[in-house]
Amino acid sequence: MLRRFRRRTISADQPAAPGSPPGEAGHALRAPSRLHAFNRYEIKYLVDAATAGELRAEMERLLDRDEHSGENGYGIWSVYYDTRALRFYWEKIEGLKFRRKLRIRHYGDRFQVTGDTPVFVEIKQRVNRVTQKRRVRLPYRDAVALCDGRAMVAHGPSERAFLEEVLDLVCRLDLRATAMTGYQRHAYVGRGADVGLRVTFDQRVRGRDRDFHLGADAENRFIVPPGKVIMEVKADEWVPYWLTDLTAERNLQVVRVSKYCQSVEAYGRAPRSLFHIPGHDLDPIPGRPPAMTTAKEA
């Protein structure tokens, strides 16, 4: 069945500012501003690795590979902020029509992160069925000063309102780093009639509940079974017939999965929800919460 969506576009089709993350060309509000904002619909599927391989082969034929993806994809690491009572986590679990989360996100090899490394401070929010994402690119030290140090950082005129919103959220809700996630992504983008379509495959989904410096040599654990891949379809207006047919042929079921929630639950910060991906939880070590198997870094 064809899924057709409508959206209100925030950003025009200017080229992305230098240093934009993979797949975000065309979503800059004003180049060369470091601020980006866009809306889209997102549909997620949980597939096994073999099926993901078959689907990726189809994507290679029908879509263009994201220019940053290469043969091995690219890494994405995110530090999520929440209240002591996990307000943002519970908003997701309860399915509130308006919900949001704050994170610092890095693309690439986290072991190369220094204070000067560009990262993104991002507010991702859901308004009914539409996902809205706003973010600003900052040096890592400034992102930490803003979100952990709760101090305004150097910025351009177009970035001030967003940074003030982040600072207000952090201070008013007493946000703190709560969970970290990381995974390897293969991404494909639409061409021709499918411009605006983006399909991603996230594998080796890992996380941790402490040592939140991006470059820390800390242990991560699988928070999604390593044999499973999260496939996500991201569309500006509609999903084409060929893609809905492809998912129907394989009987793929839409899932409500959040990598942040998976990390929170995997480390025992909250009970397993109805949306928790099962299958790999270990018996807990005495005195420690249940967790997933240890993941060796790629």
Side-chain angles (χ1 to χ4, degrees):
M1 179 178 68
L2 176 66
R3 297 178 183 270
R4 290 193 176 274
F5 302 124
R6 297 294 175 194
R7 71 155 186 158
R8 179 176 64 85
T9 303
I10 290 181
S11 54
D13 52 355
Q14 302 101 327
S20 295
E24 303 309 340
H27 288 298
L29 279 178
R30 282 191 298 270
S33 170
R34 301 179 297 178
L35 181 67
H36 303 259
F38 50 95
N39 292 355
R40 62 190 175 198
Y41 294 89
E42 299 180 349
I43 309 168
K44 296 178 182 178
Y45 304 90
L46 184 67
V47 300
D48 59 49
T51 301
E54 296 171 2
L55 290 166
R56 280 187 54 207
E58 292 289 340
M59 299 304 117
E60 292 279 354
R61 184 172 64 86
L62 296 165
L63 300 176
D64 291 332
R65 186 184 295 175
D66 183 286
E67 63 178 324
H68 299 274
S69 208
E71 290 294 331
N72 299 317
Y74 54 87
I76 299 178
W77 291 89
S78 303
V79 178
Y80 288 86
Y81 289 75
D82 210 335
T83 67
R84 291 181 184 273
L86 302 178
R87 170 176 171 166
F88 297 159
Y89 165 85
W90 286 110
E91 287 179 351
K92 167 65 176 179
I93 295 302
E94 294 170 5
L96 298 190
K97 290 186 177 181
F98 175 80
R99 57 183 184 267
R100 59 187 166 184
K101 52 193 171 188
L102 173 69
R103 63 193 179 197
I104 295 176
R105 171 162 285 190
H106 168 65
Y107 294 85
D109 182 356
R110 70 184 182 88
F111 292 115
Q112 300 301 315
V113 171
T114 69
D116 295 322
T117 300
V119 299
F120 290 83
V121 175
E122 178 176 288
I123 293 176
K124 184 177 182 181
Q125 62 191 37
R126 181 79 170 236
V127 181
N128 294 321
R129 297 172 62 198
V130 179
T131 298
Q132 301 177 340
K133 188 182 294 186
R134 293 171 294 134
R135 60 172 148 204
V136 66
R137 188 177 71 257
L138 295 173
Y140 183 44
R141 67 167 61 86
D142 287 357
V144 172
L146 178 69
C147 296
D148 292 303
R150 305 182 180 187
M152 181 56 74
V153 297
H155 58 275
S158 65
E159 301 155 1
R160 182 170 184 83
F162 177 76
L163 292 176
E164 287 179 340
E165 181 180 354
V166 171
L167 196 56
D168 174 70
L169 274 176
V170 170
C171 295
R172 178 166 48 85
L173 300 181
D174 191 24
L175 300 184
R176 62 203 59 231
T178 301
M180 186 168 175
T181 66
Y183 44 92
Q184 197 72 6
R185 169 168 287 180
H186 292 268
Y188 301 88
V189 295
R191 58 175 181 257
D194 295 332
V195 168
L197 176 68
R198 181 170 171 82
V199 181
T200 60
F201 297 84
D202 296 338
Q203 60 189 18
R204 291 181 52 78
V205 184
R206 294 150 282 170
R208 64 177 186 259
D209 66 342
R210 63 198 71 191
D211 300 321
F212 292 122
H213 188 284
L214 284 170
D217 186 13
E219 178 185 81
N220 293 290
R221 294 176 179 268
F222 284 112
I223 58 174
V224 171
K228 296 292 185 180
V229 177
I230 296 175
M231 171 184 169
E232 190 165 356
V233 176
K234 307 174 184 185
D236 288 350
E237 296 184 13
W238 64 79
V239 177
Y241 281 110
W242 65 262
L243 184 50
T244 55
D245 288 345
L246 200 63
T247 58
E249 288 168 3
R250 288 165 173 76
N251 197 31
L252 300 187
Q253 302 297 314
V254 175
V255 296
R256 278 187 61 189
V257 59
S258 161
K259 300 180 186 77
Y260 167 59
C261 293
Q262 280 288 127
S263 190
V264 167
E265 294 172 7
Y267 282 94
R269 298 288 304 277
R272 300 290 195 269
S273 69
L274 291 175
F275 313 111
H276 186 78
I277 299 174
H280 223 71
D281 299 56
L282 296 174
D283 292 332
I285 299 172
R288 292 186 59 185
M292 311 296 270
T293 53
T294 302
K296 294 182 180 179
E297 297 294 343

